[in-house]
Amino acid sequence: MITLGINAAFHDSAAALVIDGQLCAAAEEERFSRIKHAKRPVPFSAWELPFNAIDFCLARAGIALTDVDAVAYSFDAGLFLDGRLQGDTITLPLIPSAQPDPRWENPWDPLFAAYVLNASRQLVDGAPHHLGKRFKGAKFDGPFTFHHVAHHLCHQASAFLAAPFEHCAVMTLDGRGERATSTYGVYRDDSYRAIGEVQVPHSLGLLYEQVTTHLGFLASSDEYKVMALAAQGRPRWLGLLQEHVHLLDNGQYRIDPIDLAKLVGPARERGGPMEQWHFDLTASLQALLEQTTLKLATWLRETTGERQLAMAGGVALNCVANAKLRDAGLFDEVWVQPAAGDAGTALGAALWIDSRARAEGSAKDPQLPVIREGEPVKLAPRTWTMTHAYWGPDWSDEAIEAELKWAKLPYRRMAEPAREVAQVLARDQVIGWFQGRMEFGPRALGARSIIASPIHAEMQARINELKDREDFRPVAPAVPEEHIGEWFTPGHANRGKSPFMLFIYDVLESQAGRIPAACHSDRTARVQTVSAETQPAFHSLLTAFGELTGVPVLINTSFNVRGEPVVCTPRDAIHAWASTPVDALVLGPFLLEKNPPQAPA
């Protein structure tokens, strides 16, 4: 059973390929197109499919589109259109915004729906010419079957079908799908049961987006900046925000319209100065999100009886809220999908259709049984768990060296990469680090990273300056999995693992002075634990740096500059290194330095 998952409806377009329940490849389109988030989440961009990411996934498996059994698209046009159509046609005025149709939330929604509904035709007819080979011979009605899968169901499946749990409660929080904004379910006995959802316009994700926009940042992109700013404010408007958010029974909530200009002050212009009330607004919003999420999780825990929780959706990328939930004691373990945003729905769609088709015993059935809320859906037994996020492309040493020779760049091949790179880091050099398969999801986890020593406090400002990003942005520490409890607390949480950088920890008071550049203003840190099994090169480097300095911790941030996606290819890495003050570049076993130390006379 070969299943291709596609996300393209909103933003963070991506593709994933699942073969008999096992993930083969997954990647975001932005890494290939070099356009941040691939496209903006506007209705008239829904025709853009992630052809580069699809081509990569097919190439990784050595197949063409005609070899695929099923294609799963992570948005259900039927749910979105329900009750809106009159007949089988849509009407779109020449200027939709001038003549809005009351049936549609956005005047361009009829066009959006048509694009989504015709995704199978676009898939086989719209591939760029240079990628045409792997798409040749496919038709919209075969040989694969095409499935539209509900957006939030894809989020849910990306969590419970990837988490290291045999059974768990499932919670998804994001901006919106077809209608749903928050969904709840339970996975048990190889079955999934949906137990409720909240629908638009009531959405914690959309509320977070509203505040993000009010503060002059880009919605569906910069919410993580708002989270970082919250540590510098006090929640003085929490009470006012709470008056607009009403928790109801059965996991439901209602959010009244909020006029932020009237409530707290005028919108900040993009790039304008940050004032204290901006910080206070972010702190108030963050506190509201944390409190509301905890209450929803409490209901879910009581309803399902489960002691483990799997999460996805864009709100699940809020590592501060995740940590509050982890530490509340409601669940023994909390696992968050590393591609929790919309990119992860490509994986969820593929896993869901693969599992359902194998459970039904037919890979070619175009009409899987309808799902009804409250009824368990039988799934095939799981054979795979997502222990790491390295599912993108990689390059052999030979391919990397050929690129370096073509660029006529001076480099050397290291005999002992971990030890030699540790020595460069110990000289307070900033390094671009390119190793193995690229990460799937928004976090750089030691495959496409910028790394540096955390020992001197000024390194944080230096990293922000060379990446051309805001001064308030923290950087994240990476630590060998076996040493987390020596530097951060609670080191025992989630079995001592935080491989995806999705939870914050307190830096131990006794250690904070040794890694000041890794500490946020409130002495917390978004920690990544590194396993020797899943990322041996990065683990070896951390170990070597620890042996050299006594500090087995490194700063780890994404290998990109402001406004650009994380690097994907060796050429991307070379361009990023050459155009920034990053001191050195490590591509596989090869080292490039702008100012190598002089040999003694």
Side-chain angles (χ1 to χ4, degrees):
M1 175 73 183
I2 303 176
T3 307
L4 173 67
I6 298 173
N7 167 59
F10 296 127
H11 52 88
D12 294 312
S13 304
L17 191 71
V18 171
I19 301 177
D20 294 332
Q22 303 272 338
L23 180 58
C24 171
E28 293 104 316
E29 179 71 4
E30 68 163 21
R31 309 296 169 86
F32 306 94
S33 70
R34 309 310 299 159
I35 299 172
K36 190 75 170 174
H37 301 295
K39 63 187 184 69
R40 293 302 299 151
V42 291
F44 39 82
S45 71
W47 66 271
E48 297 182 48
L49 297 185
F51 284 110
N52 290 286
I54 293 169
D55 182 73
F56 155 69
C57 289
L58 296 175
R60 185 78 192 189
I63 61 174
L65 185 58
T66 51
D67 297 311
V68 170
D69 296 305
V71 177
Y73 185 97
S74 63
F75 195 91
D76 188 340
L79 281 177
F80 184 73
L81 289 166
D82 187 31
R84 293 176 171 179
L85 279 184
Q86 295 175 351
D88 58 357
T89 62
I90 60 171
T91 300
L92 193 68
L94 187 61
I95 306 177
S97 57
Q99 303 178 55
D101 186 330
R103 289 174 299 167
W104 305 94
E105 296 166 21
N106 185 304
W108 290 95
D109 275 352
L111 183 63
F112 171 78
Y115 282 148
V116 172
L117 199 60
N118 286 281
S120 61
R121 289 170 167 82
Q122 175 67 4
L123 175 64
V124 299
D125 292 334
H129 180 71
H130 69 286
L131 301 179
K133 181 179 179 180
R134 296 191 194 282
F135 296 81
K136 187 177 181 180
K139 300 183 183 301
F140 78 91
D141 57 353
F144 53 78
T145 59
F146 197 95
H147 304 264
H148 286 90
V149 188
H151 184 77
H152 264 260
L153 178 57
C154 295
H155 273 311
Q156 294 249 307
S158 77
F160 69 79
L161 287 176
F165 305 143
E166 293 183 2
H167 52 88
C168 60
V170 196
M171 181 165 68
T172 294
L173 307 170
D174 76 348
R176 64 162 299 171
E178 299 83 1
R179 300 289 177 86
T181 66
S182 305
T183 50
Y184 316 101
V186 60
Y187 175 69
R188 186 185 299 137
D189 299 328
D190 295 327
S191 295
Y192 169 76
R193 179 168 59 91
I195 59 175
E197 68 177 33
V198 180
Q199 296 192 348
V200 289
H202 312 295
S203 168
L204 291 170
L206 291 181
L207 175 59
Y208 218 94
E209 284 187 10
Q210 182 185 355
V211 174
T212 299
T213 301
H214 194 75
L215 290 172
F217 299 115
L218 185 62
S220 298
S221 176
D222 290 344
E223 283 75 15
Y224 63 98
K225 298 180 183 179
V226 174
M227 179 188 70
L229 282 169
Q232 301 183 38
R234 56 186 181 88
R236 59 176 167 132
W237 283 302
L238 175 58
L240 290 175
L241 291 178
Q242 286 174 327
E243 293 176 5
H244 294 77
V245 179
H246 310 280
L247 284 168
L248 309 174
D249 295 332
N250 300 321
Q252 299 295 302
Y253 59 84
R254 187 181 79 249
I255 300 181
D256 299 332
I258 301 177
D259 186 340
L260 288 172
K262 183 177 179 180
L263 190 68
V264 299
R268 168 183 173 263
E269 290 189 10
R270 183 171 179 82
M274 296 295 300
E275 301 177 16
Q276 186 57 46
W277 74 266
H278 296 134
F279 303 139
D280 294 346
L281 176 57
T282 64
S284 302
L285 173 68
Q286 182 66 30
L288 176 73
L289 177 69
E290 293 165 10
Q291 292 180 6
T292 306
T293 301
L294 277 174
K295 291 175 181 177
L296 297 175
T298 299
W299 166 80
L300 183 61
R301 163 74 180 89
E302 294 171 350
T303 301
T304 64
E306 292 291 338
R307 297 297 306 176
Q308 296 167 313
L309 174 67
M311 293 178 63
V315 175
L317 291 171
N318 191 301
C319 57
V320 180
N322 293 346
K324 292 292 177 67
L325 183 54
R326 173 201 64 197
D327 298 339
L330 294 171
F331 297 93
D332 296 336
E333 291 183 71
V334 178
W335 189 87
V336 180
Q337 166 58 239
D342 278 6
T345 63
L347 171 61
L351 288 172
W352 177 258
I353 292 301
D354 165 89
S355 189
R356 288 202 68 196
R358 288 189 294 115
E360 296 292 333
S362 173
K364 292 292 186 181
D365 187 353
Q367 297 296 329
L368 293 169
V370 174
I371 302 170
R372 293 178 175 82
E373 186 172 308
E375 294 183 4
V377 180
K378 190 65 178 175
L379 301 170
R382 286 177 46 188
T383 60
W384 171 80
T385 296
M386 195 170 191
T387 58
H388 63 81
Y390 311 110
W391 298 103
D394 61 352
W395 277 262
S396 67
D397 293 349
E398 293 74 20
I400 293 173
E401 188 166 24
E403 190 73 28
L404 293 171
K405 289 179 178 178
W406 177 84
K408 294 182 170 60
L409 291 169
Y411 67 91
R412 67 180 178 88
R413 184 168 190 145
M414 295 175 285
E416 300 179 72
R419 184 183 63 82
E420 294 177 51
V421 175
Q423 291 173 342
V424 176
L425 290 165
R427 298 198 304 268
D428 279 337
Q429 301 286 286
V430 178
I431 290 179
W433 176 259
F434 185 105
Q435 300 290 326
R437 296 185 69 175
M438 182 180 68
E439 301 93 340
F440 179 52
R443 304 284 188 252
L445 300 169
R448 305 289 185 273
S449 294
I450 290 175
I451 54 177
S453 166
I455 295 173
H456 298 113
E458 59 271 16
M459 185 60 78
Q460 178 187 347
R462 185 176 164 194
I463 293 290
N464 285 336
E465 188 276 331
L466 68 84
K467 291 193 67 173
D468 189 28
R469 67 182 196 177
E470 299 88 350
D471 294 341
F472 62 81
R473 299 274 295 278
V475 287
V479 62
E481 185 177 277
E482 60 271 23
H483 293 302
I484 182 173
E486 301 167 18
W487 294 86
F488 307 98
T489 185
H492 65 280
N494 290 333
R495 293 183 290 175
K497 300 176 185 293
S498 181
F500 306 128
M501 207 187 289
L502 285 168
F503 296 88
I504 65 164
Y505 292 74
D506 290 325
V507 182
L508 289 175
E509 186 174 356
S510 59
Q511 303 284 36
R514 302 179 68 192
I515 53 171
C519 301
H520 198 14
S521 57
D522 57 357
R523 218 187 71 199
T524 62
R526 190 180 68 194
V527 176
Q528 176 198 357
T529 58
V530 180
S531 164
E533 181 179 355
T534 59
Q535 184 53 293
F538 197 31
H539 186 275
S540 295
L541 176 60
L542 288 162
T543 301
F545 186 75
E547 293 171 350
L548 187 63
T549 65
V551 178
V553 179
L554 289 171
I555 289 171
N556 176 19
T557 187
S558 57
F559 195 174
N560 65 322
V561 294
R562 189 177 186 178
E564 293 187 5
V566 178
V567 301
C568 175
T569 69
R571 189 169 296 187
D572 295 337
I574 291 169
H575 285 174
W577 170 70
S579 61
T580 64
V582 175
D583 299 300
L585 175 63
V586 178
L587 294 167
F590 305 105
L591 174 65
L592 296 81
E593 295 184 90
K594 290 176 179 173
N595 295 295
Q598 298 297 315

